[in-house]
Amino acid sequence: MRISHTLGAQTHSRAWWGRLFVCFVAIMALAIQVVSIYVDMNRRTLERTWKMTIGPDLVVAKLGVGAPRDGFRVGDRLAAIDGVEVSTLLEYRAVLNRLRADTAVNMVVIRGDGTQELSNMVRREPLSVQFLLRHAAAVTLITLGTGVAYHRFQDKAARLFFLGTVVLGVYFATLYKDAVGLVYLQIFTLTLAPGLVLHLFLTFPKERTLAASRW
């Protein structure tokens, strides 16, 4: 009788700590989503040229509507924005996002053997339907996985489902980000997601031999 009571207490204690872990992870995932939404809502773009395609080496590959009028040419390479030199796409986005919306900005581009100074206006990039769908999917996945794991934490399949949904939720929330920290987080979640999903399929509705092994 005492052994049964002890085992029951240990099980209850593990379940309590497990639920605390679930809540902590869920809160962290939602916090990441909040940061991601803030980044999306404060993303900057150039006036009339937000459809301009710039490669990783900052070479203009395609022009959007209005770009020729603003002086851009296909093959131009961005060298500086508002006096700050840039050499990668992440640096370009970081400098642009720090600028205040509705202000003029000077840009230096390398064209052929010389340089050209161009001026443009910085605007707040409009939010798209894709933004709403991504973040709706993210919060739905995180909430669903949290609910399942909180009520059935002792179930291995529930724990795997929780981890899988949280990882996918964070991935959707950080998709298409150009902030360095969020980019690394996106790569990390993208690396974890396939293994977690595969492990879940090997565990639910019944555990296969491969899932039961340590490997």
Side-chain angles (χ1 to χ4, degrees), residues 101-189:
D102 301 324
T103 58
V105 61
N106 293 320
M107 310 177 70
V108 176
V109 301
I110 297 176
R111 182 179 299 168
D113 295 330
T115 60
Q116 297 284 332
E117 291 190 6
L118 305 177
S119 61
N120 212 308
M121 292 291 293
V122 177
R123 301 295 189 193
R124 191 186 302 274
E125 187 168 310
L127 299 179
S128 62
V129 175
Q130 185 187 75
F131 163 83
L132 297 175
L133 293 177
R134 282 194 296 105
H135 286 289
V139 72
T140 300
L141 286 167
I142 295 170
T143 304
L144 181 61
T146 301
V148 170
Y150 186 85
H151 293 289
R152 301 187 62 182
F153 185 79
Q154 298 298 332
D155 190 340
K156 181 180 179 181
R159 297 195 299 270
L160 286 170
F161 179 74
F162 167 67
L163 293 175
T165 53
V166 167
V167 165
L168 288 175
V170 172
Y171 172 74
F172 282 125
T174 57
L175 195 60
Y176 305 123
K177 295 297 180 297
D178 40 47
V180 176
L182 294 179
V183 169
Y184 288 143
L185 187 59
Q186 177 192 339
I187 295 172
F188 177 71
T189 54

Side-chain angles (χ1 to χ4, degrees), residues 21-33:
F21 170 77
V22 167
C23 292
F24 174 77
V25 173
I27 291 172
M28 293 298 295
L30 292 174
I32 291 171
Q33 185 175 9

Side-chain angles (χ1 to χ4, degrees), residues 19 36 48 95 123 157 165 175 195:
R19 288 170 179 168
S36 182
R48 300 184 305 277
V95 173
R123 301 295 189 193
T165 53
L175 195 60

